[in-house]
Amino acid sequence: MLDGDGPEWVDVDAMAARAGVSRARVIELASAGVITAGPDGRFPATGITAIRYAEAFLASGTPLTAIAEAARRGLLFFDTVGSLYPPVPHTDIDLEHLAERMGLGVPALQTVLTALGLPTPQPSDRLRADDVRLLELIVDTWGGAPGTTNPGPPTRAALGYGATLRSLVELEHGLYFEAVNPELRGVVTDGTERHQLSAKAADAITAAAEIVTLLHARLMEQQIARTSVDITEAFLATQGILATSDRIAGPVVGFVDMSDYTRLSQEQGDEHGAALATRFAELVQLEVQAAGGRLVKLLGDGALLLFRDIDLAMTTVVRLFRVARDAGLPPLHAGVHTGPVIERDADVFGRTVNLASRISGRAGAGELLVSDAAAALLDPDRWRVSPAVEVVLKGIPDPVRLHRVDLEVAW
């Protein structure tokens, strides 16, 4: 029950049931200082998270005496852990009954949960309330028409959400770990300061949910605007209202790579190679995002970029050449091509992408090559390119006409 507007307090039996442990374990953990009872013998419900945290230590072989001593010395802060996220109760619904209610088989729901990166329950296992809601949202949203039993689209959606949010969680965890372990930065702290840092970092993680919600809405707004324009322009062209020649050509695909990355990594070690790749990724992310383009994916020593405007693509790639040089990275080389692409699951595919990759592979250190199609769209008053040279590229059946961009003029 709730005491006014304060935290929820529960007795020892409710605590045990909701944490999934025995009554004796709750008493044992209370004695060890993992959770603290109030004057009336009840416990704050946030202690459920602390119990699960302690159980993870015990399952890994850490003795309860060591956990108790660490808590006594102020090295483990179970009160902070309990405040990171509210405890979620289990429902009376097991996986089998939920699958029956949703018109899917148990294996389909298990597959969705696995794709999300969550534990896979057995058919008779009672489900957490948040897991039930996740399954309802994903299946109802992406499952197609009522009665559809194909789990493919929900699974694909779950894979995307799972991979994206795991990356975000890893980022937040890394920031949290650095914040609560200032010794990593050569800063010496006592127990009190560590507890304060831990509480502050916990607040930051709690704020992350709101950050994600706000940013998701803003980015979706931008994506819908871009897509709506593309669809509308295509429709207007079919109606004879907008000539195809009046539309901005695109999309534009660019591949940008560091030259001699493999050799440098072999000569100077993997750690040096990793540092180069990290710095390259940071620069590309900042420059492409600032320009309004899209970093589709990083490829270790390279990056796949997508733009809706040829001039913007060229300007961004040329700027990347310059900032990489100023940052002390190896010279870049790049290839740009324009044409239709297949966009799926936050990635792009197709002949346009393949050709842009091959063009980049053909470029030498410090060289930017563009296809005939891309060169035809360039403003001759802004860009100077060499006459076309016909080349044969690996994996491309027909010869390809390429142009080299004069970077001195572009800069």
Side-chain angles (χ1 to χ4, degrees):
M1 64 183 168
L2 297 175
D3 292 341
D5 294 327
E8 181 186 5
W9 292 80
V10 297
D11 62 25
V12 64
D13 293 314
M15 194 75 163
R18 291 175 61 174
V21 298
S22 66
R23 188 177 193 275
R25 176 70 94 189
V26 172
I27 296 172
E28 187 179 24
L29 292 175
S31 299
V34 172
I35 53 175
T36 304
D40 61 356
R42 293 183 301 158
F43 298 92
T46 53
I48 295 170
T49 302
I51 291 177
R52 291 171 178 164
Y53 186 48
E55 285 292 298
F57 277 104
L58 294 170
S60 68
T62 304
L64 183 57
T65 52
I67 297 173
E69 180 63 15
R72 187 186 68 79
R73 294 188 187 183
L75 301 176
L76 285 176
F77 310 114
F78 289 101
D79 57 338
T80 299
V81 171
S83 67
L84 283 177
Y85 43 88
V88 178
H90 280 72
T91 67
D92 293 330
I93 305 172
D94 60 34
L95 188 63
E96 188 171 16
H97 284 88
L98 181 64
E100 181 180 351
R101 189 177 81 188
M102 300 180 73
L104 288 174
V106 168
L109 294 188
Q110 289 175 324
T111 299
V112 171
L113 287 171
T114 301
L116 288 169
L118 299 176
T120 306
Q122 296 302 308
S124 60
D125 288 347
R126 291 189 302 120
L127 300 174
R128 287 172 45 135
D130 50 356
D131 287 350
V132 171
R133 185 58 180 153
L134 274 170
L135 288 170
E136 289 175 341
L137 286 170
I138 291 174
V139 173
D140 290 347
T141 302
W142 305 109
T148 299
T149 58
N150 177 17
T155 300
R156 280 181 48 218
L159 285 169
Y161 285 123
T164 300
L165 290 173
R166 276 195 299 276
S167 296
L168 177 61
V169 167
E170 289 170 3
L171 166 67
E172 293 169 350
H173 179 265
L175 294 172
Y176 176 86
F177 187 76
E178 183 178 341
V180 300
N181 291 278
E183 296 84 358
L184 297 174
R185 305 188 302 275
V187 179
V188 179
T189 60
D190 60 22
T192 300
E193 290 173 315
R194 284 177 59 85
H195 189 274
Q196 292 172 343
L197 289 170
S198 180
K200 184 177 180 180
D203 289 341
I205 290 181
T206 302
E210 185 175 1
I211 293 172
V212 170
T213 299
L214 291 171
L215 183 57
H216 179 272
R218 292 287 288 112
L219 295 178
M220 182 59 75
E221 177 185 322
Q222 294 177 2
Q223 182 66 32
I224 290 173
R226 286 194 296 267
T227 304
S228 296
V229 169
D230 289 344
I231 293 174
T232 302
E233 286 183 340
F235 174 73
L236 293 177
T238 63
Q239 300 300 307
I241 299 174
L242 179 69
T244 303
S245 58
D246 293 334
R247 300 182 65 208
I248 296 175
V252 181
V253 177
F255 272 88
V256 181
D257 299 272
M258 286 188 287
S259 302
D260 293 329
Y261 173 79
T262 301
R263 179 182 61 80
L264 290 171
S265 297
Q266 292 173 343
E267 292 178 354
Q268 302 186 40
D270 292 339
E271 190 170 327
H272 177 72
L276 289 177
T278 299
R279 184 60 181 142
F280 172 76
E282 292 171 346
L283 290 176
V284 173
Q285 179 69 58
L286 289 173
E287 294 298 330
V288 174
Q289 183 174 340
R294 177 181 159 204
L295 171 58
V296 179
K297 59 185 173 184
L298 291 163
L299 306 163
D301 60 339
L304 168 57
L305 315 178
L306 189 67
F307 297 87
R308 296 294 173 183
D309 177 82
I310 184 66
D311 192 70
L312 184 62
M314 297 291 291
T315 301
T316 305
V317 170
V318 170
R319 178 167 172 76
L320 281 172
F321 274 56
R322 185 168 65 252
V323 297
R325 180 196 62 190
D326 295 344
L329 292 176
L332 303 185
H333 61 271
V336 172
H337 181 43
T338 182
V341 299
I342 301 169
E343 296 191 49
R344 180 170 177 175
D345 297 336
D347 203 351
V348 293
F349 308 89
R351 188 177 186 278
T352 301
V353 177
N354 294 337
L355 184 52
S357 175
R358 296 302 186 189
I359 294 173
S360 177
R362 180 80 177 201
E367 191 173 41
L368 168 57
L369 298 179
V370 299
S371 67
D372 218 23
L377 299 174
L378 295 177
D379 181 352
D381 294 330
R382 170 78 198 283
W383 303 97
R384 182 182 299 168
V385 299
S386 67
V389 175
E390 197 168 86
V391 300
V392 176
L393 300 176
K394 182 179 178 181
I396 305 299
D398 300 319
V400 177
R401 289 163 54 88
L402 299 181
H403 303 258
R404 183 175 59 83
V405 178
D406 190 331
L407 294 180
E408 294 300 325
V409 174
W411 286 357

